[in-house]
Amino acid sequence: MVKIFLDTANIDEIREAASWGVLDGVTTNPTLVAKSGRKWGEVIQDILALVDGPISLEVTTTDADDMIKQGRQLAKLHKNVVVKIQMTTEGLKAIRTLSKEGVRINTTLIFSANQAILAAKAGAKYVSPFIGRLDDQGQEGMQVIREIVEIFKNYDWDCQVLVASIRHPLHVIEAAKLGADVVTMPFEVLKKMTQHTLTDVGLKRFLEDWKKVPQ
Ligand code: E4P
């Protein structure tokens, strides 16, 4: 079953989605935390207290040694923390070291199957291809997911395909059809997944007809 993560640092959205019983985890990034307008430490503590599932927290350093230090600190915060590391050569060095220490890594800013292969080989537990940003520049993001899913299956790699930068519900359907392990999305997309106009029309009719039933 495809796992559903919320791609946000907005605690109200996370609380609401968690109450629906369909939320498996959360991904954050510096942009999303900045958007929340709150202090990093406070937001993260709130998320960790609300969701019992993988919570991706991103390093904000670019040199391997610094990434390793920051990654260790993040991992120490909670058992559910997954350290998000950018797909660079320095990032690969950090992934290798941290994964050997048992730290779970989500490699972010993946835009090609080649990058995913390298991240998985370095020891990442998740790769995050950003499909919406590829679509934005006229390249089919879902094609990259297709390739990564096929390659990982060929080798039975212990690395999950986490489809990121999702923009609309069709992205979710396509990713699930391809057998991607995880989809992470903004709250608005998750909300759209719950909706259908025929559900609204049908419910209205049921409620109106119920009033006609003698009690
Ligand atoms: C993934 O983990 C990223 O936070 C995210 O999906 C980026 O998406 P965006 O292109 O909407 O910023």
Side-chain angles (χ1 to χ4, degrees):
M1 172 64 75
V2 67
K3 291 188 248 335
I4 292 181
F5 289 7
L6 219 49
D7 194 30
T8 185
N10 180 315
I11 204 70
D12 294 329
E13 293 177 347
I14 295 170
R15 187 177 293 111
E16 179 63 14
S19 75
W20 300 348
V22 294
L23 189 62
D24 298 302
V26 175
T27 49
T28 65
N29 65 37
T31 307
L32 293 170
V33 178
K35 222 165 118 186
S36 79
R38 300 178 59 207
K39 284 191 178 156
W40 182 85
E42 291 172 9
V43 181
I44 299 313
Q45 285 311 328
D46 282 355
I47 298 175
L48 289 167
L50 252 179
V51 182
D52 187 15
I55 311 293
S56 287
L57 306 182
E58 188 159 339
V59 298
T60 49
T61 45
T62 53
D63 172 81
D65 288 338
D66 294 335
M67 285 171 154
I68 292 165
K69 268 184 224 142
Q70 199 182 358
R72 282 179 187 142
Q73 284 165 1
L74 293 174
K76 260 190 233 150
L77 289 177
H78 195 281
K79 66 171 174 52
N80 286 338
V81 169
V82 174
V83 176
K84 219 175 179 187
I85 292 193
Q86 298 86 359
M87 176 56 220
T88 59
T89 48
E90 289 299 297
L92 289 175
K93 294 180 204 170
I95 293 167
R96 170 57 76 204
T97 302
L98 288 169
S99 63
K100 274 192 181 153
E101 294 173 8
V103 175
R104 286 181 300 164
I105 307 293
N106 172 3
T107 311
T108 190
L109 290 173
I110 295 239
F111 294 93
S112 74
N114 276 326
Q115 290 178 321
I117 289 171
L118 294 176
K121 276 192 84 82
K125 283 283 176 220
Y126 299 88
V127 286
S128 287
F130 280 31
I131 59 167
R133 293 193 196 182
L134 284 167
D135 287 356
D136 287 345
Q137 64 160 41
Q139 194 182 337
E140 198 204 339
M142 207 52 76
Q143 178 56 23
V144 175
I145 303 302
R146 199 170 288 121
E147 289 171 353
I148 299 172
V149 168
E150 185 181 341
I151 293 165
F152 282 17
K153 251 191 212 144
N154 283 347
Y155 299 101
D156 205 15
W157 268 340
D158 182 22
C159 179
Q160 300 194 36
V161 183
L162 192 165
V163 182
S165 187
I166 280 180
R167 300 264 194 267
H168 49 73
L170 259 183
H171 272 154
V172 178
I173 293 173
E174 285 303 318
K177 277 162 70 178
L178 290 173
D181 302 284
V182 189
V183 282
T184 190
M185 68 196 79
F187 180 71
E188 304 79 65
V189 177
L190 183 64
K191 195 153 182 235
K192 281 183 190 159
M193 285 175 68
T194 69
Q195 297 164 341
H196 199 287
T197 46
L198 288 178
T199 305
D200 300 338
V201 170
L203 175 60
K204 193 165 171 272
R205 192 182 305 159
F206 283 153
L207 292 176
E208 278 164 9
D209 288 343
W210 178 242
K211 285 185 201 145
K212 298 175 197 157
V213 177
Q215 301 293 323

